[in-house]
Structures are given as C-alpha cells and as structure tokens.
Amino acid sequence: MSVVLRNAQRAVPVRRAPLRRAVCALRAALGAARFDVGLVCAGNGLMRRLNSAYRQRPEPTDVLSFPFHRVVAGELPRPRCRDEYNLGDIFLGVEYIHQQCCDTGEDFDSVLAVTAAHGLCHLLGYQHNTKLEWQQMYQKEAEILEELNRLTGTSLRPLTVGLF
C-alpha cells in the first residue's frame, strides 16, 4: 500500500524520495508491505507539543509513533476491512535529529532511516521499557535494517544500541 510522507516543518531540508524508499523497504522487511503508514517530518515545536501531550515530557524528541492497531510485538494487525490496512503514523523530529547529527557528525539521511525503523517497530507493538522488551525490539530493528542495508549498500544500526 502507501507511505504518505508530509513535511510539516521548514527548519531542515528533507530528501523525501530516499526516506520514502527506505520506509517502504523497512515496511516490507517487517512483512507489512500491504499496510499504509503516515510519516510526518516535524519541527521542534510540534514534537514538543506532542511529546508533552502524550508522554508528559515537554521537550522535543526524535520520534513518536501512534499505532492504528494494538498488537503484541511480532504480530501483524488483522484488519477486518480495507480501511483498517493502516499501521499508524510516525512523527520524525527532523529538527531535533538534525541537531544531534550536527553534534555527532552522523549522516542525517541515515539517521532518519534508522529513526523511521524504530518508529515502525513501535507501530507493530515493540517497546523498550524493560531489558527484555529492549532486546526484542533491538533484534527486530537490526533484522529489518540488515535488509535495508542489503538493498542499499549501507551499514545502518538500530537506535537503541546500549540502552540497557
């Protein structure tokens, strides 16, 4: 199905086509290619408001995911009709991510793809609140990034390296 990408900020230029291709490949690696995904590139203001409203943390962040379905990690949703073929929405804090990349020297486009992989995993029920959940999510992120790396010749690694 489709990946709908909206750039809702003007602070940082975003190369949409490579990001959309990466998300399509990651979605396929998760076995969810038939599901729609919304991807919003957001600035610090919007990310701060969303993070405050939904996580009670009034600061910008790199990614927020809003799943359409409640699923157990590792399971795909079971839609009952065409309108339910939707994984949900991912908000990428591109201004926040860009600043981090400037501080660390990491490649912005690569970090966007890795952050999108993290967001996709959240849409499919993966969490990282405990060490066991983190291990499960890290393994899934590594697995789907390995497929993206194979397709693109990159060497991307999960966001959650060293969380626990």
Side-chain angles (χ1 to χ4, degrees), residues 21 32 37 39 44 53 60 64 66 70 73 91 96 117 123 125 127 129-130 132 134 137 142-143 145 153 158 161 163:
R21 282 192 301 271
V37 173
L39 191 63
N44 283 343
L64 293 168
F66 298 94
R70 281 188 106 131
F91 285 74
Y96 181 89
L123 292 182
Q127 299 296 322
N129 298 320
T130 67
L132 183 60
W134 169 78
M137 184 163 185
E143 179 185 310
L145 287 169
V161 171
L163 188 62

Side-chain angles (χ1 to χ4, degrees), residues 137-148:
M137 184 163 185
Y138 181 88
Q139 181 179 349
K140 182 52 72 173
E141 282 185 57
E143 179 185 310
I144 66 172
L145 287 169
E146 185 177 305
E147 177 62 14
L148 182 62

